[in-house]
Amino acid sequence: KLNNVFLENCTDKGLSIGEISKVRAKKALISSANIAISTKDFSILNLNYLIGKKNNICLEVKQKKQEYGGAKIIANKLICKGKKIIDSSSIIYY
């Protein structure tokens, strides 16, 4: 469980969630990352509020490893202008 996440100048991913993880985050402010949030491999992110600034990709949700499946992001409010990458076995609800 995360309350307030403030991440800046991450060269790759701001927040990376993987391999059957379940994460709840109230508020995230992520700026200047290649990928603000990546969720993969049967993981679930329940996110109340994301503000993303100067990120190439806001959200990425995918299956990375063959032995797992897709992932899920459930977001209430997104303020982020970057791309959203969703593979065929994953989903984003917002």
Side-chain angles (χ1 to χ4, degrees):
K1 292 181 182 180
L2 304 169
N3 283 324
N4 295 306
V5 177
F6 299 100
L7 301 168
E8 189 173 30
N9 296 321
C10 300
T11 56
D12 187 22
K13 296 173 186 80
L15 186 59
S16 181
I17 301 162
E19 297 184 5
I20 316 173
S21 298
K22 292 183 182 178
V23 175
R24 288 184 176 268
K26 286 187 179 180
K27 184 176 181 182
L29 172 58
I30 303 173
S31 65
S32 301
N34 183 38
I35 302 171
I37 298 175
S38 178
T39 304
K40 52 201 166 294
D41 297 333
F42 282 145
S43 294
I44 300 170
L45 169 63
N46 193 319
L47 176 64
N48 189 45
Y49 188 59
L50 168 65
I51 299 171
K53 298 179 180 181
K54 299 179 185 175
N55 302 300
N56 294 322
I57 299 166
C58 284
L59 300 174
E60 174 186 65
V61 59
K62 67 180 187 176
Q63 176 183 350
K64 184 176 178 182
K65 296 182 178 177
Q66 184 178 8
E67 61 268 27
Y68 296 103
K72 184 182 342 183
I73 294 176
I74 303 162
N76 291 327
K77 187 169 185 180
L78 297 173
I79 300 173
C80 193
K81 292 184 181 180
K83 299 176 196 172
K84 294 172 188 70
I85 297 177
I86 308 163
D87 76 6
S88 61
S89 62
S90 302
I91 194 160
I92 297 175
Y93 294 107
Y94 62 95

